[in-house]
Amino acid sequence: AQSVTQLGSHVSVSEGALVLLRCNYSSSVPPYLFWYVQYPNQGLQLLLKYTSAATLVKGINGFEAEFKKSETSFHLTKPSAHMSDAAEYFCAVRKTSYDKVIFGPGTSLSVIP
Amino acid sequence: DGGITQSPKYLFRKEGQNVTLSCEQNLNHDAMYWYRQDPGQGLRLIYYSQIVNDFQKGDIAEGYSVSREKKESFPLTVTSAQKNPTAFYLCASSIVGTLTGELFFGEGSRLTVL
């Protein structure tokens, strides 16, 4: 069965510093991978998705993620954190559009002024 | 604008009462889903439906029921059999048969049992 691991349930960074949120998946074949962001008391919003077209994926709000098959990883990065980036971030994996989406436990990002 | 509408946003209920959460989408998506989210936990799948008049249990279906009579609607009933119903409930939809089928989410409904 597929699974998703997010290292670090809470991450704190200073404003302007690099944001790095880790995601590792277990899958026998390269799946489709997603990063979602959730602000308090709101639904999830898609940040970016990996579809095998390119290993480096650019998303909204300056975020990007790199798919590394050898490491089964899909880490999310942003060069310079902004206060508005404080939120919960979820990594997710899906084998095909007919399969269930498997979510990681989430990482709460705090940005310190 | 296309999207998913969940209502109500906040709901309070007494123990022993059934409540129904509404989810409507105008994205013309085939599949719809209900997730439960508890503090500090990820999303857990309650029920999903990939076609009208058909739905499947997710990982935590006990104490919940759904219907899918129309493509755009997928209401969730939290029954009195659900032992711990206080949670944040999220509805989502997706296209079936596309390359990735990413989920689109509503704004959520927060249920509190008094």
Side-chain angles (χ1 to χ4, degrees), chain A residues 73-107:
Chain A
S73 69
F74 191 56
H75 301 331
L76 182 71
T77 61
K78 182 174 180 178
S80 177
H82 192 271
M83 296 298 294
S84 61
D85 294 328
E88 188 87 16
Y89 292 81
F90 293 94
C91 182
V93 62
R94 190 173 207 179
K95 199 171 178 180
T96 73
S97 65
Y98 295 95
D99 294 293
K100 290 188 286 186
V101 176
I102 308 299
F103 285 90
T107 296

Side-chain angles (χ1 to χ4, degrees), chain A residues 35-113:
Chain A
W35 273 101
Y36 286 86
V37 62
Q38 184 183 32
Y39 299 100
N41 289 313
Q42 293 188 24
L44 277 68
Q45 180 184 8
L46 183 68
L47 271 178
L48 49 80
K49 62 183 179 183
Y50 168 72
T51 63
S52 75
T55 57
L56 184 62
V57 181
K58 294 189 183 301
I60 61 172
N61 302 340
F63 285 94
E64 62 182 34
E66 185 173 9
F67 172 71
K68 292 187 177 180
K69 183 179 177 181
S70 61
E71 299 177 5
T72 59
S73 69
F74 191 56
H75 301 331
L76 182 71
T77 61
K78 182 174 180 178
S80 177
H82 192 271
M83 296 298 294
S84 61
D85 294 328
E88 188 87 16
Y89 292 81
F90 293 94
C91 182
V93 62
R94 190 173 207 179
K95 199 171 178 180
T96 73
S97 65
Y98 295 95
D99 294 293
K100 290 188 286 186
V101 176
I102 308 299
F103 285 90
T107 296
S108 177
L109 176 66
S110 298
V111 181
I112 304 166

